[in-house]
Amino acid sequence: MSDRDASCGRPHLDSRRSRPLQGAAGATSAPLETAALGRSYGRLVGLADLSLTVAAGECVALIGANGSGKSTAVRTIAGLLEPSEGTVRVCGVDPHREPDAEQARAALALVPDSPVLYDDLTVRQHLELVTLSHGVDDDAVDERIASLLDLLGLTARADFLPRELSRGMRQKTQLACALIRPASVLVLDEPVVGLDPPSQSLLHGLLSERKRAGAAVLLTTHQLTFGDGLADRAVLLAEGLVVDEGPWAHVRERAEAGGWVSP
């Protein structure tokens, strides 16, 4: 494994903390950084002036009502939407500019707000494809796939196609695809939607483990209780603008005082 493979772009899959990427100038970069990031849809401003840094081993939660800009932020950070202004850096590189985008995609695992799966691949085949695509070819990969399927309660449906799965099982499959691969940055858009309370608790624990292993985690959620014990900081969005930010507990308290009711 090369220095670059062991760095921000290609962390280990075990519990050891991976080293951050060394940029072209030799300076270390945070796994995820945005500066004055904005995205407009014609006259509609979906996101404006979002500047944040997510360090290795840190979780930042984006919270806000529907239409506040959370999903726009996630999609722009992940490279799915071109920013109208500002910059994104994933492990020091731009996910919107080739050839850097390839390295950014290798470093970032995305869980979108709705599962995006291949119609003709089974649950197990999705995980096999992800590991193959990201160069996970060691002798233990089949064992890790089996272990993750079992952990997420997917073993009995490992040979099912997406159309044969419930919404919750499709969500678990999407989560499994993100968790089975090496990633220095995990970006999750409303990851608990479709999950029952035991599965939400399991996901909370899995993301906490990835934090301890050195991953930078960015998530959006409507459920403030899910962020308790997981999120270190929070950014509250409204109409695409940052209206509050700071330590998780402080922003959560202010949001609730302002009338936010968590499910």
Side-chain angles (χ1 to χ4, degrees):
M1 180 177 289
S2 68
D3 288 345
R4 177 59 60 88
D5 288 338
S7 69
C8 189
R10 296 295 301 275
H12 296 292
L13 285 173
D14 63 18
S15 60
R16 291 171 292 178
R17 184 180 295 271
S18 60
R19 291 175 291 166
L21 178 72
Q22 298 290 327
T28 58
S29 299
L32 179 59
E33 298 175 290
T34 72
L37 187 65
R39 167 71 189 193
S40 298
Y41 305 90
R43 293 184 296 173
L44 174 65
V45 177
L47 182 70
D49 200 26
L50 177 64
S51 296
L52 62 82
T53 299
V54 186
E58 183 181 35
C59 175
V60 174
L62 302 179
I63 61 175
N66 291 335
S68 62
K70 303 187 304 297
S71 291
T72 295
V74 163
R75 292 168 186 165
T76 308
I77 287 169
L80 301 180
L81 289 175
E82 191 74 19
S84 303
E85 57 187 14
T87 60
V88 180
R89 293 294 181 267
V90 176
C91 290
V93 298
D94 188 343
H96 300 95
R97 297 290 179 268
E98 299 293 350
D100 288 351
E102 181 178 356
Q103 185 177 337
R105 288 191 293 269
L108 185 150
L110 171 67
V111 177
D113 56 351
S114 296
V116 179
L117 303 171
Y118 292 100
D119 293 338
D120 56 347
L121 293 184
T122 67
V123 173
R124 189 191 312 276
Q125 287 170 338
H126 274 88
L127 271 63
E128 292 171 344
L129 176 61
V130 169
T131 56
L132 180 64
S133 299
H134 290 277
V136 183
D137 56 0
D138 59 87
D139 295 337
V141 63
D142 290 338
E143 181 181 344
R144 283 205 298 272
I145 288 174
S147 177
L148 187 56
L149 289 172
D150 181 62
L151 186 62
L152 291 172
L154 291 167
T155 300
R157 294 170 176 81
D159 297 319
F160 282 35
L161 297 171
R163 64 175 176 271
E164 300 174 292
L165 302 173
S166 67
R167 172 64 170 80
M169 289 297 175
R170 291 196 301 274
Q171 180 71 359
K172 287 184 177 182
T173 301
Q174 189 78 74
L175 290 165
C177 288
L179 294 171
I180 197 63
R181 51 156 294 191
S184 293
V185 181
L186 285 171
V187 178
L188 308 98
D189 195 0
E190 298 291 350
V192 300
V193 172
L195 298 182
D196 56 33
S199 297
Q200 293 182 23
S201 179
L202 173 63
L203 177 60
H204 191 287
L206 290 172
L207 294 179
S208 295
E209 287 180 8
R210 293 301 288 263
K211 272 183 58 181
R212 288 192 293 271
V217 180
L218 178 71
L219 62 87
T220 76
T221 185
H222 285 118
Q223 299 191 26
L224 299 184
T225 54
F226 184 73
D228 293 338
L230 175 62
D232 301 292
R233 294 187 290 117
V235 176
L236 176 62
L237 296 174
E239 301 293 334
L241 299 173
V242 175
V243 295
D244 195 6
E245 60 183 314
W248 168 258
H250 296 173
V251 176
R252 186 195 202 286
E253 181 179 0
R254 291 192 291 266
E256 290 185 324
W260 186 280
V261 179
S262 181

